[in-house]
Structures are given as structure tokens and as C-alpha cells.
């Protein structure tokens, strides 16, 4: 058996939690699957549980990973205790609905301001900022962005086109830029 932190067949792969945050999903889930001997994350679904993402505009990977681990442990225990019934009711994954959650790489941390919106930068940082440094080019220098204490605003903000951003800092927030 495998506990996978997504509602398979959505987000098959190495980084389902990161992709759920990056895509600003409002819900995700837990899938307990039988192992397929030939393909990753493709086994029959023994159990699933939908989960609303807590504070979906602000949650970061570490918090969501811990939350899903807690939720998943209860689902896994239930499958273990009722394995015969879970196996009899297992559902084959619909191959037409498969989406991939590819592995995160260091290039995912590069921000091209003229190609992405501020919302996408925010979601990307929440999803992968713990894993890869967020970097950009400022003038002719490559810089690394260090964000801490930031939260999405409580009130709606104006949507700016790619290439522009507006940063509103709360008193406890910090933005530090360092040269690479």
C-alpha cells in the first residue's frame, strides 16, 4: 500500500503537495492505493478522502504536508483495519483524468517578472520556497529573494499584469534581497 497526498489520478508523481499549492487549489486529499508493479502512483484506489486546504491563500508546503500526514494516518489506519472490504471495493484509476506532479527542480525558483503574475510568484514561493531558492534578475545582477512573515492580504488586491508587482508589508514582514 501507498499513502499518496492527492486525489489520484490528479497529481501523480513526486510533488503533489507543491503542485496543489502552486495551482492555488482549494482542496486536495489523501489516496491510499495498492502498489502497481510497473508504474508509480497508478495502483487501484483502496480509499480516498477529500480535504479542504486550510488557509489556501497562505498555507506553505511544510504546514500542508504535516496536515495531510495527520489526515492520511487516520485513513491508512482505517484501510489496514478493514483491508478485505477496501480491497473488494478498490477502484481502478481513470487514465483519462491523470495529471502529473513532476519533481521540483532549481529552475522552478527562477522568476521572470515579464512572464508571471504576482499571484503566481506568491503561489510558487509558498509551494517550493522551502525547497529551492527564489531567484530573479535585477538589472544585470542575479539576486535571490528571501521572504519571511508574508501573508496574502485579507482584502482583495488589484491584479497586475506580468512584469509588475506591488508589495505591501505588514509591520512584522521582511523582504530581503541579496546578490548571488
Amino acid at each position: 500500500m501507498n499513502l499518496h497526498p492527492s486525489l489520484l489520478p490528479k497529481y501523480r508523481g513526486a510533488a503533489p503537495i507543491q503542485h496543489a499549492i502552486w495551482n492555488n487549489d482549494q482542496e486536495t486529499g489523501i489516496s491510499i492505493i495498492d502498489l502497481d508493479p510497473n508504474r508509480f502512483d497508478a495502483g487501484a484506489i483502496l480509499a480516498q478522502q477529500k480535504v479542504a486546504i486550510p488557509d489556501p491563500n497562505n498555507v506553505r508546503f511544510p504546514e500542508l504536508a504535516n496536515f495531510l500526514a495527520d489526515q492520511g494516518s487516520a485513513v491508512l489506519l482505517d484501510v489496514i483495519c478493514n483491508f478485505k472490504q477496501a480491497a473488494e471495493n478498490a477502484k481502478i484509476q481513470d487514465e483519462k483524468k491523470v495529471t502529473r506532479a513532476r519533481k521540483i527542480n532549481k529552475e522552478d525558483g527562477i522568476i521572470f517578472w515579464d512572464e508571471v503574475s504576482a499571484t503566481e510568484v506568491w503561489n510558487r514561493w509558498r509551494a517550493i520556497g522551502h525547497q529551492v531558492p527564489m531567484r530573479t534578475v535585477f538589472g544585470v545582477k542575479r539576486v535571490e529573494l528571501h521572504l519571511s512573515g508574508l501573508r496574502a492580504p485579507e482584502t482583495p488586491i488589484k491584479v497586475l499584469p506580468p512584469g509588475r508587482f506591488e508589495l505591501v508589508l505588514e509591520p512584522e514582514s521582511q523582504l530581503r534581497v541579496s546578490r548571488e
Side-chain angles (χ1 to χ4, degrees), residues 21 23-26 53-60 119 122-123 125-126 150-155:
I21 295 171
N23 292 326
N24 204 33
D25 291 354
Q26 301 299 298
I53 295 177
D55 198 8
N57 295 320
N58 288 298
V59 72
R60 295 188 61 213
T119 300
W122 173 250
N123 292 342
W125 174 74
R126 293 184 307 112
L150 298 178
R151 290 186 55 77
E154 298 298 323
T155 57

Side-chain angles (χ1 to χ4, degrees), residues 119-180:
T119 300
E120 183 174 334
V121 172
W122 173 250
N123 292 342
R124 190 183 311 185
W125 174 74
R126 293 184 307 112
I128 67 171
H130 71 286
Q131 193 172 349
V132 297
M134 304 301 286
R135 304 178 315 273
T136 192
V137 175
F138 185 72
V140 295
K141 300 282 187 187
R142 290 181 1 146
V143 295
E144 189 170 307
L145 303 172
H146 300 273
L147 306 169
S148 66
L150 298 178
R151 290 186 55 77
E154 298 298 323
T155 57
I157 59 171
K158 59 185 171 188
V159 176
L160 300 173
R164 298 195 45 148
F165 73 94
E166 185 175 287
L167 182 64
V168 179
L169 296 175
E170 298 295 327
E172 67 278 359
S173 300
Q174 297 177 19
L175 172 65
R176 190 174 82 239
V177 178
S178 63
R179 293 182 183 174
E180 279 187 350

Side-chain angles (χ1 to χ4, degrees), residues 34-47:
D34 196 8
L35 295 178
D36 183 301
N38 300 310
R39 300 177 302 154
F40 287 111
D41 301 331
I45 298 169
L46 300 169

Side-chain angles (χ1 to χ4, degrees), residues 39-153:
R39 300 177 302 154
F40 287 111
D41 301 331
I45 298 169
L46 300 169
Q48 280 189 318
Q49 179 179 321
K50 283 186 182 180
V51 176
I53 295 177
D55 198 8
N57 295 320
N58 288 298
V59 72
R60 295 188 61 213
F61 172 84
E63 293 89 20
L64 186 54
N66 288 336
F67 177 75
L68 291 173
D70 287 344
Q71 298 292 312
S73 64
V75 179
L76 180 60
L77 184 60
D78 185 58
V79 169
I80 291 169
C81 291
N82 301 294
F83 184 76
K84 183 177 179 183
Q85 180 182 2
E88 288 171 357
N89 295 322
K91 295 179 177 82
I92 302 301
Q93 294 185 42
D94 185 345
E95 294 296 321
K96 294 176 186 161
K97 294 182 179 179
V98 171
T99 60
R100 302 285 177 198
R102 65 169 178 74
K103 184 178 178 179
I104 301 301
N105 61 56
K106 66 181 181 177
E107 287 77 25
D108 290 325
I110 300 172
I111 305 298
F112 296 101
W113 297 103
D114 59 338
E115 295 177 7
V116 297
S117 69
T119 300
E120 183 174 334
V121 172
W122 173 250
N123 292 342
R124 190 183 311 185
W125 174 74
R126 293 184 307 112
I128 67 171
H130 71 286
Q131 193 172 349
V132 297
M134 304 301 286
R135 304 178 315 273
T136 192
V137 175
F138 185 72
V140 295
K141 300 282 187 187
R142 290 181 1 146
V143 295
E144 189 170 307
L145 303 172
H146 300 273
L147 306 169
S148 66
L150 298 178
R151 290 186 55 77

